Amino acid sequence: NVYYLMGRWDDAVVCFRSCVEGFLLHGRSVRDNAIVEMSVKISNCFRHEGLTEDALAGYDWCVCVMLEKLKSTENRSVEELSDIVALLGMAQEQYASVLEVAGRDADALAHRHGELVAGRELVRLQGPSATASLVLSLNRMAQTLANHGEHKNALLCLQEAVSLLPAARLPFDDADVIASNLASVQAKLTAAEAQT
């Protein structure tokens, strides 16, 4: 994690891969949350190194594994289920970001939706403490929608995000960005209506 935080992507990949190999040698499942989380970080390293296809393949694997875990019939505690949903949301958020940069807008939108569903599920499982994550997911979804010209849907996401701000207790800068995004989308809609 130190190399990862320092932006030394090659070194971070080597360390994460060694950790994954060690976990697997000691009997952990390839579907273990810790392995999936390290795989998301490896994919992030690939993204930063400009290895977009490798990053996309990694994110895709992580999302598929977490979706498969959610569909399994195992009885899980709220904490275990929350961990799975949070990891799924994180993987989908990163996946959508890379898909947007790669110009795969429809796929990015699908993963933004998945991230939003995960955010709503976390609030259901954890209560108000997970609201900040949902608000940030709504903001990212709104940005993706606005980039697609879907300003009305973006407005709905931002209005919901703003309504949840008091419970989210986000830092002022984050809340200000969301309010600014709302004002920008409202201005675009007003301008579009004036032209018609």
Side-chain angles (χ1 to χ4, degrees):
N1 275 329
V2 173
Y3 287 137
Y4 183 80
L5 294 172
M6 293 171 57
R8 292 177 53 184
W9 311 120
D10 288 334
D11 294 327
V13 167
V14 169
C15 289
F16 285 135
R17 283 184 171 160
S18 294
C19 287
V20 168
E21 288 171 12
F23 282 161
L24 294 174
L25 286 173
H26 288 88
R28 289 236 188 143
S29 166
V30 73
R31 298 172 62 222
D32 186 276
N33 285 1
I35 290 175
V36 175
E37 184 175 353
M38 282 186 263
S39 297
V40 170
K41 289 181 177 180
I42 290 169
S43 298
N44 289 343
C45 292
F46 289 155
R47 180 188 71 198
H48 288 294
E49 291 177 323
L51 303 170
T52 304
E53 291 306 314
D54 291 339
L56 290 172
Y59 294 131
D60 186 61
W61 179 82
C62 294
V63 168
C64 289
V65 167
M66 299 318 286
L67 286 171
E68 183 182 307
K69 283 180 85 167
L70 279 177
K71 290 178 186 173
S72 74
T73 57
E74 292 178 36
N75 289 331
R76 292 194 171 87
S77 69
V78 170
E79 183 179 331
E80 290 171 319
L81 191 54
S82 293
D83 290 345
I84 292 168
V85 171
L87 192 50
L88 173 61
M90 179 179 74
Q92 289 190 305
E93 187 269 320
Q94 298 295 321
Y95 198 3
S97 296
V98 176
L99 287 165
E100 286 172 344
V101 171
R104 293 174 50 186
D105 296 337
D107 292 334
L109 192 56
H111 285 284
R112 286 284 180 230
H113 177 71
E115 174 195 357
L116 191 55
V117 169
R120 290 186 194 288
E121 181 65 9
L122 268 180
V123 170
R124 188 187 72 74
L125 291 167
Q126 297 178 349
S129 65
T131 305
S133 176
L134 176 59
V135 168
L136 295 173
S137 294
L138 284 162
N139 186 54
R140 286 188 290 268
M141 178 64 140
Q143 290 172 328
T144 301
L145 289 165
N147 291 342
H148 284 76
E150 295 184 36
H151 294 99
K152 287 183 181 177
N153 290 330
L155 179 65
L156 294 174
C157 286
L158 288 167
Q159 286 172 332
E160 182 179 356
V162 167
S163 74
L164 294 171
L165 280 176
R169 298 184 180 160
L170 288 173
F172 177 77
D173 290 346
D174 290 338
D176 192 45
V177 166
I178 293 167
S180 295
N181 289 344
L182 176 61
S184 173
V185 168
Q186 286 174 323
K188 287 177 183 173
L189 282 171
T190 301
E193 288 172 4
Q195 290 178 351
T196 56

